[in-house]
Structures are given as structure tokens and as C-alpha cells.
Amino acid sequence: GKETLMRIRKMFYEKGMGIGRDHALVDYLVVDTNEKDLNSLNDSSLTPHMKEVLSFADSGQDQEAFPIHITEAVANSYLDGGKASHPNIFSWFNEDLIKRQGASMISAGAGQNRQIARLCFFHHYDRLRKLLEHKLTSLVGSASNASARLKGHGDNYVGVEEKSIMVYIVTSIAGGTGAGVFLDMGMLVKDILPKKFANYNYNIVYYAVLPEPYLPFQKSEELVQKIKENSFAVLTEMEFFAYDNRDQKF
């Protein structure tokens, strides 16, 4: 997901359209359980200056990189009494994952475990929701201002649909984070839009990268198998909810 957004940002930059922070009608939010991966750039053709320009802001009002990792202490707190405080989480979370591998494993990312990623997502849910609402509100305001400016240029202008919002969710379904939180992220966005922007038309578009591109680069058959398992689980869940089974427990 991050690599795709980085290439989109690069395309805007090369066409002289800004990088997102400069482009009032586009914004980005990159989410990962592994903080080190949020701004790592694998494109060897980029100069140090370009890498700095294209990197996602990791703090401030315009934050674009949002780590959802949790510390070992936080992971242990869920085990020590968290079950009573968060019965909704433990209705699906298998606490043996932490007990078996140790709470320290969470601080370095989801490690191909979808449930770990989902736990991290819910731990950061309030902050993540607030940031998404802020970004969407800013974009709506910018679109209105841009439309007002553009209408002054006569008939030959690029139109801006003031009452339309497009949200694109891009993820791989091979790893732990994307495969673990893709549904919850979509449902979060779908919950925000009608409540905050009731008078707007909106669309949510998913782009899911299938596992095949990642398989040749895995170092063991165990990792290959885990990627296939994650992908199968995601596709099964997609099919389940595509048939409007939202009120049923999966």
C-alpha cells in the first residue's frame, strides 16, 4: 500500500502538481504496525533530495504516516485484565498468540499475524479516527475553495466536484497489517462519511494486491504458506461481506 501511494505522490510531483501537502485536493494516510517501514523507499533511482521530498510527514497537523504498533507493556496490559475491559476484542483475539511468542514480538510489527494487526488497530482507533476526520474535513474545505477560484476562469477550467468525496484504500493481502485491518479500515471510513458529511456523495474504492508478487522473494516455505493463508482468509471475508452478511458473526 505504501509503495503504491509513494508512486502516486511521485507522479504528482513529476507533473508539477505538488505532493499532497501542496495539493489541496489530495491527501494521504499510510498505516503500518512496523514504524520502520512507513518511510522506507525502495526505489534506487531516487536521489536523497527526492526521498526527502516524497517522504510522508510523521507528525503534526498534516501527519501522513501513522504507526499503529504497540509496546510490550501495552500488549501485556491486554493480557492482564484487558479481557474484562475489552470483551469485544477478546471475542475474536486469540491471546495465546502473545503468550506463545511473547509480547515483545508485537513492538516490531504484526509478523504476518492478522489478529496482532487488528489488536494494534483497535488500540489506536480513537486517534486514527480523529486524524481521518481532520483530513477529510480539510479536503472538503479545500475543494470548496478551489471550486470557487476555478469558476472565475470561465468555461475552460478543470472542474471540482464540491459535494463528492473519493476514498481509496490500497493494501496488500499477503502480510499481517493489510490483511488484518483492511475490513476495519473500510468500515471506519464508511462510518465517518455519512455522519460527518451527510450532504455529500462518497465512494470507497479498495485496491488489494494479491500474494503472487511477493512469493518469489520469501526465504522459506513457511513464509510462503503463511502468505497464502492470509490471502485466502482475506478473500473469504471479502466474499462473506459482499453478500451483505454484516449482521452475522464471521
Side-chain angles (χ1 to χ4, degrees):
K2 177 210 68 181
E3 294 291 337
T4 302
L5 297 185
M6 193 70 74
R7 280 162 175 72
I8 291 173
R9 167 170 277 189
K10 183 183 177 184
M11 180 189 70
F12 277 127
Y13 181 80
E14 290 174 340
K15 292 182 178 293
M17 300 171 65
I19 58 171
R21 294 189 292 271
D22 310 324
H23 199 293
L25 304 179
V26 178
D27 205 346
Y28 304 85
L29 182 61
V30 184
V31 176
D32 203 335
T33 54
N34 190 340
E35 189 171 10
K36 294 180 181 178
D37 286 343
L38 282 172
N39 261 317
S40 61
L41 301 175
N42 299 322
D43 190 340
S44 59
S45 67
L46 295 178
T47 64
H49 171 70
M50 280 290 288
K51 288 184 177 181
E52 183 178 350
V53 168
L54 296 175
S55 63
F56 294 108
D58 56 10
S59 62
Q61 197 172 24
D62 297 320
Q63 181 176 0
E64 299 166 314
F66 190 93
I68 59 170
H69 67 285
I70 58 178
T71 65
E72 183 176 355
V74 170
N76 281 322
S77 72
Y78 279 100
L79 296 181
D80 301 332
K83 199 168 188 176
S85 303
H86 305 282
N88 57 320
I89 290 177
F90 281 89
S91 66
W92 52 262
F93 183 70
N94 179 9
E95 57 190 293
D96 287 340
L97 274 175
I98 299 179
K99 291 179 178 177
R100 185 171 62 249
Q101 300 184 48
S104 60
M105 55 90 69
I106 292 183
S107 60
Q112 296 287 340
N113 288 294
R114 299 195 318 135
Q115 286 192 25
I116 295 295
R118 200 165 186 234
L119 176 65
C120 293
F121 176 89
F122 278 105
H123 180 75
H124 291 278
Y125 177 86
D126 290 337
R127 289 178 55 236
L128 184 56
R129 184 185 183 101
K130 186 177 295 185
L131 181 57
L132 275 171
E133 289 177 349
H134 167 73
K135 284 180 171 293
L136 288 166
T137 300
S138 297
L139 284 172
V140 165
S142 297
S144 179
N145 293 334
S147 181
R149 291 195 303 270
L150 290 169
K151 284 177 180 176
H153 293 279
D155 295 330
N156 298 319
Y157 69 89
V158 177
V160 177
E161 295 184 36
E162 296 178 52
K163 295 293 183 178
S164 180
I165 301 173
M166 292 289 295
V167 178
Y168 295 89
I169 299 176
V170 185
T171 183
S172 156
I173 61 173
T177 304
V181 308
F182 82 102
L183 270 178
D184 296 298
M185 182 64 76
M187 290 179 178
L188 170 57
V189 174
K190 194 173 182 180
D191 186 62
I192 290 173
L193 290 173
K195 291 179 179 178
K196 292 288 184 178
F197 309 98
N199 297 324
Y200 286 74
N201 297 317
Y202 60 84
N203 285 292
I204 304 170
V205 181
Y206 264 113
Y207 286 98
V209 181
L210 295 174
E212 280 73 13
Y214 304 96
L215 297 180
F217 302 99
Q218 303 311 308
K219 297 179 180 179
S220 69
E221 184 58 36
E222 183 181 1
L223 286 174
V224 170
Q225 185 61 31
K226 186 62 179 176
I227 287 175
K228 290 180 178 179
E229 290 171 359
N230 283 341
S231 302
F232 177 79
V234 169
L235 294 173
T236 302
E237 290 166 357
M238 282 183 175
E239 182 183 46
F240 179 83
F241 286 103
Y243 286 101
D244 202 22
N245 294 313
R246 69 189 70 182
D247 295 326
Q248 300 182 36
K249 187 174 181 180
F250 183 78

